[in-house]
Amino acid sequence: MFSIKKQTSAAVRFLVTYFLLGVLILLLAFFYYTRQVLKLNQDLEAQVESLASLAAEIPELSDSGLQSRLNQIVKQSTQVGRLSFVITDAEEQKVVIAKGIDPEIERKLQAEPPIRLNSEELLLIESTVERMRRKGIRRSIRYLVEDREIYGYLYHGVSDSAAIEQIPFVFTDANNKPKKWQRWGGLVTSASSSEDQLSQAKMLVRSATAQNHVIPLQTTPNWQKGYFYYEKKPYYGLMVMPVVLVTVFLTFSLVGFISYRRIKTYEQSAIWTGLAKETAHQLGTPISSLIGWVDFIIDREGNKSDPLLGRTYKNMQKDLNRLQQIARRFSKIGSLPQKEWVDVNWVVSEVVTYFRARLPKSKEVNLNVDYGGLPQIKANSELLQWVFENLIRNSIDAMDKTVGQINLRLAYDSTKRLINILYSDNGKGIGRKDRRKIFNPGMTTKNHGWGLGLTLAKRIIEEYHNGRIRLLHTSTSGTTFEIQIPVSQSK
């Protein structure tokens, strides 16, 4: 029995060590991966600083073509680098440009004229700017407001480079009405021109338009002062995979550990069942032989008038019958027991009567029973007696008071159709570290015994009789168990 416990304990220690080692290796890999991700974020932060500086300088460019090309580069970079930035006016009341926040917001702000944002989009912009403001990343910039107005057009022809001063041209107003022109001659204005000259000017406008030789004349855009805010979104997506791996590993490890524990429990159950059946088989023959010899002695000595000897023979016969009953109990472990109509009061009474005659002489122990009005149930009386015998035996072994008290109270709950049995003693109680293991096979705090008493009691009550046994209370002042047996049908 010690060898079995030792092997089981060694197997559990090996499994726990192996599991902890695997978790440690996985955690080290996870920390290394996380460190690399953080370093990548730091490197990207450094790149974002340069990108943010470029994005802040673009609005200050007066070259619209260069500004457009750089905006395309920044747009692509914001998608890859996860850069978001916002440009507000000087009063920080109006958002002029927003990139990397929401495509729909970008589209509306870039439209001509800008489209009004809805309440949700405004809330998103405000929360984003507020978050960027709290980070303290703000730059003062100048940006051009696209408020240019076309006030006229310049239409021109083509001339030799050596005679560029002879190139024909026409200045018109915004409605394409010629105002001043030059064509193979001197400069002519609309106020001093003849009808023929005006007709020639209009012909040049049509010719230049067909050849796309037109230059719009616009007002100069105004420079405005504003603020540039930006932030970089961290790569949280890179952290998902190690978390998933850890979760999957822990899940499979937990399932494997639970499966292993169940397999070990089944193995232990099979070992104890086999051991119990073999013990019953080995005890059966000598017990039967001893009973036969006691019967023979009683027959031979029955005529003698020694009453003490007669009582001794009868007590020996009772103890041998008791041994035979115990052997039968062991033989029933692992098998479905036969049930019959049983009075639980009678079962408890038999056990109490047996123990009262065999209580230890070294200390005073009182066995008190409060019988209740219980209906008869379908049960196995020998196995139920075994439950109470184990409880009483454990109480006697744990008794450390001058006067020991063992109390049983039996009652019937007609509402729940349960027989409730409260078993209590005033022994030394169960230690805190052992309370969760008291029903485990091999669990014992005594120098003798197999640690199977409460294990068998739990199996008899819960598996064979569909009831429940549990520890209600334990301390240095005593221990209390509750046993509930359902009354599925009554006689």
Side-chain angles (χ1 to χ4, degrees):
M1 184 270 176
F2 176 75
S3 176
I4 292 174
K5 288 171 61 179
K6 187 175 181 181
Q7 291 175 5
T8 303
S9 178
V12 171
R13 285 199 300 270
F14 171 77
L15 179 67
V16 171
T17 303
Y18 184 79
F19 173 76
L20 292 178
L21 182 62
V23 171
L24 179 61
I25 294 174
L26 187 64
L27 288 176
L28 290 176
F30 175 74
F31 288 139
Y32 175 79
Y33 185 87
T34 305
R35 184 177 179 183
Q36 295 301 313
V37 170
L38 293 177
K39 186 177 184 301
L40 175 62
N41 271 327
Q42 292 175 355
D43 295 340
L44 290 174
E45 285 283 359
Q47 297 176 11
V48 165
E49 289 293 332
S50 301
L51 186 61
S53 299
L54 175 62
E57 295 294 332
I58 289 176
E60 299 187 13
L61 297 175
S62 57
D63 189 331
S64 60
L66 177 61
Q67 188 181 76
S68 176
R69 289 193 297 272
L70 289 177
N71 275 328
Q72 289 297 323
I73 295 174
V74 170
K75 182 178 181 180
Q76 295 174 359
S77 300
T78 55
Q79 295 174 352
V80 177
R82 302 176 70 85
L83 171 68
S84 302
F85 65 87
V86 173
I87 297 178
T88 68
D89 58 9
E91 289 75 25
E92 299 187 64
Q93 298 294 325
K94 179 182 177 183
V95 174
V96 181
I97 299 175
K99 298 286 186 180
I101 298 175
D102 184 86
E104 185 64 19
I105 294 178
E106 294 182 28
R107 185 188 68 80
K108 290 183 176 181
L109 292 177
Q110 291 175 356
E112 289 293 340
I115 302 173
R116 185 180 181 85
L117 302 180
N118 59 39
S119 57
E120 293 183 359
E121 292 168 339
L122 288 174
L123 183 61
L124 176 60
I125 285 288
E126 290 173 2
S127 62
T128 302
V129 173
E130 180 62 27
R131 183 173 63 251
M132 294 177 177
R133 186 181 292 114
R134 285 198 301 267
K135 293 180 179 178
I137 304 175
R138 188 182 76 165
R139 299 183 183 183
S140 298
I141 64 170
R142 290 194 315 146
Y143 63 93
L144 283 173
V145 178
E146 280 298 334
D147 55 356
R148 308 181 194 191
E149 294 182 1
I150 296 177
Y151 58 85
Y153 296 94
L154 169 63
Y155 296 90
H156 63 88
V158 180
S159 177
D160 192 292
S161 60
I164 190 170
E165 68 277 0
Q166 299 297 325
I167 185 170
F169 65 87
V170 177
F171 284 103
T172 70
D173 59 12
N175 297 319
N176 286 325
K177 184 178 181 180
K179 295 295 183 180
K180 185 184 293 188
W181 61 89
Q182 173 180 290
R183 184 182 174 100
W184 306 300
L187 189 66
V188 180
T189 64
S190 59
S192 61
S193 66
S194 64
E195 288 292 333
D196 185 54
Q197 291 175 323
L198 182 61
S199 177
Q200 291 179 357
K202 290 181 177 179
M203 184 181 299
L204 179 59
V205 169
R206 290 193 295 271
S207 174
T209 302
Q211 299 178 47
N212 198 25
H213 293 167
V214 183
I215 299 175
L217 304 178
Q218 301 175 341
T219 59
T220 303
N222 295 320
W223 288 98
Q224 299 287 342
K225 180 182 178 182
Y227 294 104
F228 180 87
Y229 297 91
Y230 74 94
E231 69 176 356
K232 174 194 166 296
K233 300 176 183 178
Y235 283 81
Y236 291 119
L238 296 176
M239 303 292 291
V240 172
M241 185 54 65
V243 172
V244 170
L245 289 177
V246 170
T247 303
V248 171
F249 176 79
L250 292 177
T251 301
F252 275 94
S253 299
L254 181 61
V255 172
F257 182 73
I258 293 174
S259 301
Y260 172 82
R261 290 295 302 270
R262 289 190 175 182
I263 291 172
K264 294 303 294 182
T265 301
Y266 291 148
E267 288 179 353
Q268 289 179 352
S269 178
I271 291 172
W272 294 123
T273 299
L275 181 61
K277 288 183 177 293
E278 181 63 20
T279 302
H281 176 72
Q282 295 294 334
L283 288 176
T285 301
I287 289 174
S288 298
S289 179
L290 285 172
I291 291 175
W293 284 114
V294 169
D295 290 338
F296 176 74
I297 293 174
I298 292 174
D299 292 338
R300 292 292 300 270
E301 301 294 335
N303 296 327
K304 295 189 176 180
S305 59
D306 188 348
L308 179 60
L309 187 61
R311 288 195 301 272
T312 302
Y313 289 152
K314 289 182 181 181
N315 287 332
M316 289 175 61
Q317 193 173 37
K318 288 181 180 179
D319 286 337
L320 286 171
N321 290 334
R322 191 73 177 181
L323 281 174
Q324 194 173 43
Q325 185 183 44
I326 292 173
R328 286 199 303 269
R329 292 174 182 171
F330 276 104
S331 67
K332 293 177 181 178
I333 295 179
S335 304
L336 190 62
Q338 296 295 322
K339 295 182 180 180
E340 57 186 3
W341 291 109
V342 173
D343 183 358
V344 180
N345 282 328
W346 174 83
V347 172
V348 174
S349 176
E350 287 290 305
V351 176
V352 170
T353 300
Y354 176 80
F355 271 97
R356 277 177 176 165
R358 292 163 178 80
L359 291 173
K361 306 298 182 184
S362 58
K363 50 188 173 183
E364 182 180 352
V365 178
N366 296 321
L367 264 170
N368 307 305
V369 184
D370 181 9
Y371 297 103
L374 310 179
Q376 290 190 358
I377 60 172
K378 278 279 190 177
N380 187 283
S381 59
E382 289 188 355
L383 294 182
L384 287 181
Q385 287 180 10
W386 204 356
V387 172
F388 297 110
E389 287 177 13
N390 285 326
L391 291 173
I392 293 174
R393 192 175 292 110
N394 287 344
S395 295
I396 293 174
D397 292 338
M399 198 63 66
D400 60 347
K401 307 298 189 298
T402 304
V403 179
Q405 298 290 341
I406 299 175
N407 302 306
L408 289 95
R409 184 168 63 85
L410 293 78
Y412 174 58
D413 187 342
S414 58
T415 303
K416 298 181 179 179
R417 294 184 60 80
L418 290 174
I419 292 179
N420 291 315
I421 303 171
L422 284 180
Y423 177 93
S424 61
D425 62 38
N426 64 339
K428 60 183 178 182
I430 302 170
R432 184 178 298 275
K433 66 176 183 178
D434 297 326
R435 292 174 186 175
R436 293 186 178 182
K437 302 183 293 183
I438 57 174
F439 294 110
N440 293 345
M443 170 58 200
T444 180
T445 57
K446 297 178 288 189
N447 295 327
H448 61 280
W450 289 3
L452 292 176
L454 289 178
T455 304
L456 291 172
K458 184 177 181 65
R459 184 167 185 175
I460 290 169
I461 294 297
E462 297 187 355
E463 295 186 20
Y464 293 158
H465 294 91
N466 300 320
R468 183 174 70 162
I469 178 171
R470 59 174 179 150
L471 177 66
L472 279 186
H473 168 76
T474 184
S475 66
T476 54
S477 61
T479 300
T480 302
F481 286 93
E482 180 187 48
I483 300 174
Q484 293 180 331
I485 304 175
V487 182
S488 56
Q489 55 181 343
S490 58
K491 188 174 180 180

